[in-house]
Amino acid sequence: MFTNLDRTDTLVHQGKRKRLVEELIKKGINNPLVLDSIRVVPRHWFFPKDFEQFAYRDAAFPIDHGQTISQPYTVAFQSQLIDIKENSRVLEIGTGSGYQAAILAKIGVELYSIEYIKPLLEQAASILTEINPQIKLFHGDGSLGLSKYAPFDAIIVTAGAPIVPETLKLQLKIGGRLVIPVGNEKENQEMLRITRISETHFNQENFGDFKFVPLKGKQGWEI
Ligand code: SAM
């Protein structure tokens, strides 16, 4: 079991989070809802006790099954890009550790999160039910979205895709945003934001290079 079973949150942890937030502000994160969320969500709960000292560094960290808990800057940057408001309906593709789901849910959105690797989803669920039991978790291929609960105000993909899946674009509301890293499987990906302008028109913006684990599934790199 990867996660921390000691679910305490001390003044020391809170102080480390405050410093992490200051670091993110210096790096350009300025959305108050996102910063407030990072200030309160205990990232060390998503780490095993022995590695807790790494929880408040602005760095990605390996989790089970060859996956990663995303760097706090990346979590904040993606969350900021979708410009979510309270009560927005949001789909996260790639629950992973559950940390980003906790950040998004703390903002007050109606969060749906889907993960391909079942044991990872189960670990994430064990923490997320304590943090916010309203988060709706699913096991499956998120490259196809979650049509039953569409349309969404925002979709965040937390793994690198070869293309922008049409299926995901079509699960956005008009005005909705899809944030997805797209590029080479082994190298960097470009962070794209696709905004649905109308039934048939989409606007695409590019926010530069990031590095993610590959998106699997029918619209990903492998089945
Ligand atoms: N947001 C996560 C966090 O805060 O820990 C980071 C997730 S990690 C960078 C990417 C995750 O996407 C991995 O857990 C991986 O198993 C998952 N993933 C990859 N392809 C997927 C797919 N087609 N559907 C759902 N999840 C997928």
Side-chain angles (χ1 to χ4, degrees):
M1 181 70 143
F2 190 86
T3 54
N4 194 343
L5 295 177
D6 172 15
R7 305 275 164 82
T8 53
D9 189 33
T10 64
L11 286 175
V12 173
H13 295 123
Q14 289 161 28
K16 287 183 178 179
R17 284 205 292 279
K18 191 165 171 276
R19 284 192 289 283
L20 174 61
V21 165
E22 284 159 7
E23 197 178 334
L24 296 179
I25 292 171
K26 280 194 195 130
K27 291 179 178 173
I29 303 299
N30 56 21
N31 182 307
L33 293 176
V34 173
L35 292 169
D36 282 352
S37 199
I38 290 177
R39 204 174 279 117
V40 295
V41 171
R43 191 169 188 255
H44 62 282
W45 287 11
F46 299 85
F47 283 63
K49 189 80 184 152
D50 288 349
F51 294 101
E52 205 187 280
Q53 72 268 30
F54 298 105
Y56 296 108
R57 294 188 185 174
D58 187 23
F61 197 81
I63 56 173
D64 287 347
H65 302 276
Q67 303 304 316
T68 53
I69 175 169
S70 300
Q71 181 182 351
Y73 175 76
T74 306
V75 170
F77 191 82
Q78 283 197 300
S79 306
Q80 183 164 285
L81 276 187
I82 55 172
D83 192 23
I84 41 176
K85 316 264 180 312
E86 273 179 55
N87 304 320
S88 301
R89 179 174 285 210
V90 178
L91 171 64
E92 178 198 34
I93 297 168
T95 316
S97 69
Y99 175 66
Q100 189 155 6
I103 292 292
L104 293 168
K106 187 76 202 158
I107 292 172
V109 305
E110 183 189 349
L111 184 68
Y112 297 75
S113 183
I114 181 164
E115 171 56 51
Y116 201 73
I117 301 174
K118 199 167 186 194
L120 274 187
L121 183 74
E122 288 166 353
Q123 282 181 25
S126 72
I127 312 176
L128 292 175
T129 45
E130 262 186 61
I131 291 185
N132 186 333
Q134 308 301 323
I135 301 172
K136 297 161 187 69
L137 296 172
F138 299 82
H139 172 235
D141 178 7
S143 75
L144 301 174
L146 206 53
S147 57
K148 190 172 169 196
Y149 300 95
F152 296 96
D153 294 288
I155 301 177
I156 286 193
V157 183
T158 72
I163 51 153
V164 180
E166 279 299 306
T167 341
L168 297 187
K169 288 164 69 175
L170 297 174
Q171 290 183 23
L172 289 174
K173 290 182 186 170
I174 309 293
R177 291 148 187 245
L178 163 65
V179 170
I180 180 167
V182 175
N184 190 295
E185 183 183 5
K186 303 259 180 321
E187 295 166 19
N188 286 356
Q189 300 88 32
E190 293 179 328
M191 188 70 78
L192 303 182
R193 177 167 68 185
I194 319 290
T195 305
R196 189 170 196 177
I197 308 295
S198 70
E199 278 300 320
T200 49
H201 285 78
F202 297 85
N203 179 48
Q204 181 171 307
E205 300 161 276
N206 187 330
F207 293 88
D209 281 0
F210 284 78
K211 177 91 187 89
F212 282 83
V213 294
L215 181 76
K216 297 176 184 144
K218 289 219 166 65
Q219 299 292 309
W221 288 101
E222 50 188 285
I223 306 261

